[in-house]
Amino acid sequence: MAAGPLRDPALPDLAALVWRASRYREGTRPAGAPAWTLDELSGRLAELSGLGAAAQLTLAFLLVREAQALGEPAAWVSHRRSSFYPPDAAASGVDLSALPVIFVGDAQEAARAAAQLARSGAFGLLVVDLIGIDPAVPPALQSRLAGLARTHDIAVLILTEKPADAPSVGSLVSFRGEALRRRVEGPAESVPEEGAARFACRLRVLKDKRRGPGWRHEELCRGPAGLR
């Protein structure tokens, strides 16, 4: 494992989106209703997919931020070809000084690294960023990750780049969601910084072994100046 190059900061991907508000956080949604939270994914192997960077990174940052707020250590496993843009993660509220980032060569190495971290029992959230590479993870490694997630009550979230009708990483994935984004037009007061655009980052649940598929979650975010 070694440090590698970061994704080109000039690319207008959703890593640049900054968390701003939630429509369905605690206190605004019915009690017991599903939502995109760490608690919903704890103890599970989950996959969040989308085309391009879409909103996967933004939604993953929400979980990292929540984990850190709860005092649950989080780690990010990525590949050497790209990763998130750190200033955007920091702007979204992520404490980068408390987020270990591990760079590996491919999906198998990423899964092994995540398993090693999970085995320590020290983490509440592990994000495995496979965006932009072949996300194939052998069933044995998936089984290991799923078992460690259950044993240590860890949320293991795999980020992939694929359409909703593409197969999941594997049958051991307990939760799969599709990340989407759309530009939101609205009153100027909801965009506090001049030049910033608003986006809705939406989760559409394709598979959920606990609650069943079909539920949705949406976060209202703002993008950096210039992103349209």
Side-chain angles (χ1 to χ4, degrees):
M1 294 180 281
L6 299 177
R7 182 169 291 148
D8 183 350
L11 292 176
D13 64 26
L14 264 288
L17 284 180
V18 180
W19 179 90
R20 178 179 176 275
S22 171
R23 294 177 177 178
Y24 303 116
R25 286 291 181 190
E26 296 293 343
T28 60
R29 68 177 188 274
W36 182 245
T37 62
L38 186 65
D39 183 62
E40 197 71 41
L41 299 184
S42 291
R44 312 176 75 178
L45 179 61
E47 179 182 358
L48 182 62
S49 58
L51 288 176
Q56 301 104 304
L57 294 175
T58 300
L59 292 173
F61 286 152
L62 288 174
L63 293 183
V64 172
R65 200 183 71 147
E66 181 189 2
Q68 291 180 338
L70 294 172
E72 293 281 357
W76 193 286
V77 181
S78 188
H79 52 91
R80 296 188 181 96
R81 290 169 55 185
S82 71
S83 184
F84 61 83
Y85 186 48
D88 294 332
S92 71
V94 170
D95 180 359
L96 293 175
S97 68
L99 181 67
V101 180
I102 298 94
F103 290 94
V104 295
D106 57 28
Q108 290 193 37
E109 289 185 9
R112 290 193 188 97
Q116 187 171 346
L117 295 172
R119 192 174 293 109
S120 73
F123 295 90
L125 171 66
L126 295 173
V127 179
V128 183
D129 181 359
L130 304 182
I131 294 173
I133 63 172
D134 180 358
V137 176
L141 275 174
Q142 293 179 40
S143 177
R144 190 182 310 167
L145 280 175
L148 289 167
R150 286 193 301 270
T151 299
H152 298 289
D153 198 28
I154 303 168
V156 179
L157 176 64
I158 298 176
L159 306 182
T160 59
E161 185 175 13
K162 64 176 73 167
D165 58 359
S168 170
V169 167
S171 61
L172 293 172
V173 168
S174 170
F175 174 99
R176 184 184 174 196
E178 179 188 27
L180 305 162
R181 69 156 173 152
R182 62 181 174 84
R183 175 79 180 263
V184 175
E185 303 297 336
E189 63 269 21
S190 60
V191 185
E193 295 180 12
E194 185 177 357
R198 292 194 311 153
F199 295 87
C201 295
R202 175 175 295 177
L203 168 74
R204 184 167 71 97
V205 177
L206 306 173
K207 175 183 180 182
D208 186 344
K209 290 184 177 179
R210 288 182 184 170
R211 298 178 179 271
W215 60 271
R216 297 169 184 262
H217 182 98
E218 188 169 275
E219 297 281 347
L220 187 62
C221 310
R222 67 168 174 77
L227 178 61
R228 294 290 182 267

